Amino acid sequence: MAEPATATRSRSVSGRVFGVVTDGGTYRHIAYLLLRFPLGVAYFTAFVTGVALGVALVPLAVGVPILAAVLGLADHVALVEAALLRRLLGREATWEPADLSKLPVWPYFKTVGTDPRCYLLVAFFLATFFVGTFAFVAVTVAFTVALAYLLAPLLFWLPGVTYGGAGTVGDVAVDLGPVDLTVTADAVGFVAVDTLPEALVASLFGAVLGLVALHVFNAAGRVHGAVTQTLLTR
């Protein structure tokens, strides 16, 4: 006997809303986003140093080979991004950099210097620093606040644990002993916890915030992975 269409539709909707919690792909996409931060720091340091040094030394004719070497570095660092896409996100991504062992130095520099995608890679690696920093802060704040409020019924009465809020735009403080988090926003400013009913409401707020954050960061990781895959596709 076929299931009623309403029941199937209801289960489908609930699966889309709550399935993100148990889907392993969600956490892989979030991990991919979080990796943007340390990789972004490494990329930014290497490429800004290389570009700045190369531009500064162009009048001495040494800068041109340095800038070409920066492009060659980007060509090889793309292998890291391709490996992350394959192993972490399960996406098909391959990258074949120009092989210095098969080309003399100057033809190699000419190859990477005339490949537009090497310039796109440098821009991508520099942008990774800003994307990674924003993603790290957003993920950390969102899930810290969500978890703190989700556990409010268990924590609000403990000595040294306080939840504070204000009804207007300002600081919202969550003090869990060694962890002191202050978020400036009016969206969560009303969630102050002093009693058990307030703690239950705060716990519901934390659950909703965590669920929304999972959806948002899962989608962000998926989009970022798709953009990177497109960039690496020859």
Side-chain angles (χ1 to χ4, degrees), residues 6 23 32 43 50 57 79 90 101 104 117-118 128 140 143 162 170 176 189 216-217 219 225:
T6 54
D23 185 5
Y32 181 74
Y43 294 160
L57 295 178
L79 292 171
S101 65
R117 283 178 309 163
C118 288
T128 296
T140 302
F143 286 120
T162 58
L176 302 180
V216 170
F217 296 127

Side-chain angles (χ1 to χ4, degrees), residues 53-234:
L53 187 62
V55 170
L57 295 178
V58 163
L60 301 179
V62 183
V64 174
I66 292 178
L67 292 174
V70 169
L71 295 174
L73 177 62
D75 192 28
H76 283 78
V77 171
L79 292 171
V80 175
E81 292 295 328
L84 277 175
L85 288 176
R86 290 194 306 272
R87 298 179 183 180
L88 189 59
L89 302 186
R91 290 180 173 270
E92 293 185 5
T94 58
W95 181 263
E96 295 181 3
D99 193 347
L100 182 58
S101 65
K102 296 180 181 179
L103 291 172
V105 174
W106 288 112
Y108 171 79
F109 283 163
K110 182 179 179 181
T111 299
V112 297
T114 55
D115 188 347
R117 283 178 309 163
C118 288
Y119 295 90
L120 286 176
L121 285 172
V122 172
F124 172 81
F125 292 138
L126 292 176
T128 296
F129 171 75
F130 301 99
V131 173
T133 301
F134 177 80
F136 181 81
V137 172
V139 170
T140 302
V141 171
F143 286 120
T144 300
V145 172
L147 183 61
Y149 281 117
L150 181 64
L151 299 178
L154 302 177
L155 300 176
F156 84 97
W157 57 274
L158 295 175
V161 176
T162 58
Y163 290 77
T168 58
V169 178
D171 291 343
V172 179
V174 177
D175 184 2
L176 302 180
V179 179
D180 186 0
L181 174 68
T182 300
V183 182
T184 301
D186 60 344
V188 296
F190 63 89
V191 188
V193 179
D194 296 311
T195 64
L196 181 57
E198 290 177 346
L200 294 174
V201 173
S203 182
L204 178 61
F205 166 78
V208 172
L209 176 61
L211 185 63
V212 171
L214 285 174
H215 278 284
V216 170
F217 296 127
N218 180 41
R222 183 182 295 110
V223 170
H224 196 288
V227 170
T228 306
Q229 184 182 25
T230 301
L231 179 63
L232 298 181
T233 301
R234 289 189 178 274

